[in-house]
Amino acid sequence: METTANPLDCRAHVLKFIEETRVVSDNELQANNITPYHVTKFYREQILKSGYYDQLKYVVQPSVEEFESPGTLDTSGEHDNTVAPGLQHKYAQTGLLLVTERCGSYCRYCFRKRIVGKASDEIAPDLDQAAQYIARHPEMTNVLLSGGDPFVLSTTKLNKIVDHLLSINHLNSIRFGTRMLAYEPRRFADSALSALFKRIHKAGKTPMIVAHFDHVGEISCEAEHKVRALRAQGVQFLNQSVLLAKVNDDPEILAATFAKCHEIGVRPYYLFQARPVKGASHFQVPLRRGLEIVRGINQRLSGIEKTFKYIMSHYTGKIELLDLGQDGRVYMRYHQNKVTEKIGTIFSRPHVATACWLDDLPEQ
């Protein structure tokens, strides 16, 4: 998308969408929560030379369908269980520490309407309060720095955040969720980051990076180099891919993505059923098709490569999608839940042909 001033109206913008070009006003932008964004030179060059631009352009460019969707971000109830500013104890073992509202990339299936123009270091949750809560909950064994992308923060700021966590004995890992490995891998050339990861190790915890490679075309040579260098320093890597219509809803593409992740030492962790974000619902893949894709992925992978789970993140917990039975019901299992007794419980609901989400399925 390019935003330029219209000489006839200084408040008008020319937006170049995939489908068409449109002139819109500032008021229309505000009413529809469309935020002008930038794509890093590195990321644009990577997807152009990767041979997958026809798919990855849907991540890079907004669509008219998004633009026409009013309202604010639908987080599927995620913020209903925020117990302190910046902290979600959404799952028994995991605390989500929301350290920034900014994402380094344009992840519109998740953060489209949360991207803000503030300086990254302006965002500061009450870290003392969050740390006190974590300390009182020994079942919480890991904290994921998220909310947007923690690596848009300066390393100095990240050190100050980690200061509040290192003395909590029952934490065994500190995790950083990021798209920056795909979007701007040069961020990981910062020597101060290596020192930060060493501090975490010295405190008896494992530093982990949860990457978001959604497509094999996003795994550049430079990203691979950075991953291998950080792994040599003891940083562990997981990968969460999001199943996105038109982008990676293809078992061959996802199998290649997971195989490449394994090759460079990034363990495929989850394949996420895309959330129903207002204005980006056209990214969603029907549950039946998602299960077909998962079968196709597993047919193409072998052994330890089949470590990923097909997960639907819902306000009732993380739910693993298992299969569509011959009885016409979708079978699922609670993978993570704040109520530990629910974890591992299998349940089912009748399938509906157009269903993309748990709430699309009747409860009978």
Side-chain angles (χ1 to χ4, degrees):
M1 178 184 72
E2 294 182 8
T3 305
T4 59
N6 186 319
L8 300 178
D9 183 351
C10 65
R11 294 174 299 174
H13 303 268
V14 177
L15 303 185
K16 294 183 179 179
F17 293 89
I18 295 171
E19 298 91 334
E20 62 187 69
T21 298
R22 177 175 296 190
V23 178
V24 298
S25 68
D26 282 338
N27 287 340
E28 286 177 302
L29 290 175
Q30 185 175 2
N32 291 278
N33 286 346
I34 302 294
T35 305
Y37 71 101
H38 74 280
V39 176
T40 62
K41 180 181 178 183
F42 178 91
Y43 186 73
R44 184 174 291 281
E45 289 178 350
Q46 170 62 22
I47 67 169
L48 283 171
K49 72 182 181 184
S50 71
Y52 295 108
Y53 181 72
D54 284 343
Q55 292 85 35
L56 291 172
K57 68 182 180 183
Y58 292 105
V59 176
V60 174
Q61 299 181 32
S63 73
V64 172
E65 186 173 354
E66 274 189 304
F67 175 77
E68 292 176 342
S69 174
T72 56
L73 180 69
D74 175 10
T75 58
S76 303
E78 285 187 348
H79 291 285
D80 293 346
N81 54 12
T82 300
V83 296
L87 177 70
Q88 292 178 17
H89 190 181
K90 188 174 181 182
Y91 313 117
Q93 299 92 346
T94 302
L96 305 180
L97 193 54
L98 311 180
V99 298
T100 176
E101 294 177 356
R102 287 189 62 219
C103 190
S105 67
Y106 191 65
C107 302
R108 79 173 171 266
Y109 47 82
C110 184
F111 297 119
R112 183 179 73 86
K113 294 175 180 177
R114 252 202 270 174
I115 298 175
V116 293
K118 299 177 182 178
S120 61
D121 281 359
E122 287 182 21
I123 310 301
D126 187 333
L127 294 168
D128 284 330
Q129 187 178 356
Q132 289 169 19
Y133 181 92
I134 295 167
R136 293 196 303 269
H137 289 268
E139 73 276 18
M140 196 185 297
T141 59
N142 68 88
V143 169
L144 173 68
L145 273 59
S146 181
D149 194 315
F151 290 114
V152 303
L153 300 176
S154 66
T155 307
T156 299
K157 184 60 173 277
L158 290 175
N159 268 291
K160 290 179 180 177
I161 293 169
V162 168
D163 284 344
H164 291 77
L165 304 175
L166 294 183
S167 63
I168 302 175
N169 292 330
H170 55 82
L171 287 182
N172 58 37
S173 69
I174 297 176
R175 305 180 179 193
F176 303 82
T178 186
R179 279 272 294 168
M180 292 287 270
L181 277 164
Y183 207 69
E184 192 66 273
R186 293 177 180 88
R187 170 69 179 94
F188 298 90
D190 179 9
S191 61
L193 268 182
S194 297
L196 170 61
F197 297 141
K198 287 178 183 176
R199 284 187 66 212
I200 295 171
H201 259 306
K202 190 174 180 180
K205 308 178 194 315
T206 302
M208 301 184 75
I209 290 177
V210 183
H212 287 265
F213 293 122
D214 296 319
H215 193 292
V216 66
E218 294 184 322
I219 307 176
S220 64
C221 292
E222 188 163 352
E224 178 178 349
H225 174 74
K226 294 295 186 293
V227 168
R228 292 185 185 278
L230 288 167
R231 286 187 65 236
Q233 298 170 30
V235 180
Q236 294 187 14
F237 284 84
L238 303 173
N239 190 67
Q240 297 183 165
S241 296
V242 180
L243 181 57
L244 299 169
K246 300 181 182 178
V247 178
N248 61 5
D249 53 342
D250 179 328
E252 186 170 337
I253 288 294
L254 283 167
T257 305
F258 294 165
K260 183 63 178 179
C261 284
H262 267 288
E263 179 190 332
I264 66 177
V266 179
R267 184 168 62 115
Y269 191 41
Y270 297 137
L271 173 63
F272 269 108
Q273 176 71 6
R275 290 194 197 105
V277 178
K278 292 179 183 177
S281 59
H282 57 289
F283 271 114
Q284 286 188 271
V285 176
L287 293 175
R288 177 192 288 273
R289 174 60 182 154
L291 288 164
E292 291 172 351
I293 289 169
V294 168
R295 290 193 199 105
I297 296 169
N298 283 325
Q299 288 169 3
R300 289 166 170 80
L301 299 178
S302 62
I304 197 172
E305 290 179 329
K306 300 180 182 182
T307 57
F308 74 96
K309 295 181 183 295
Y310 180 30
I311 295 291
M312 176 165 49
S313 185
H314 190 260
Y315 61 84
T316 60
K318 273 186 182 151
I319 297 167
E320 183 182 3
L321 291 152
L322 300 175
D323 208 349
L324 177 58
Q326 292 184 353
D327 57 2
R329 299 179 71 89
V330 179
Y331 283 83
M332 298 163 278
R333 173 168 50 208
Y334 276 111
H335 175 66
Q336 286 192 353
N337 196 279
K338 195 167 183 179
V339 180
T340 53
E341 290 77 14
K342 276 193 172 184
I343 297 172
T345 301
I346 294 177
F347 66 101
S348 69
R349 289 190 181 184
H351 179 248
V352 176
T354 58
C356 296
W357 201 246
L358 181 65
D359 295 347
D360 298 333
L361 304 173
E363 293 190 30
Q364 298 97 294

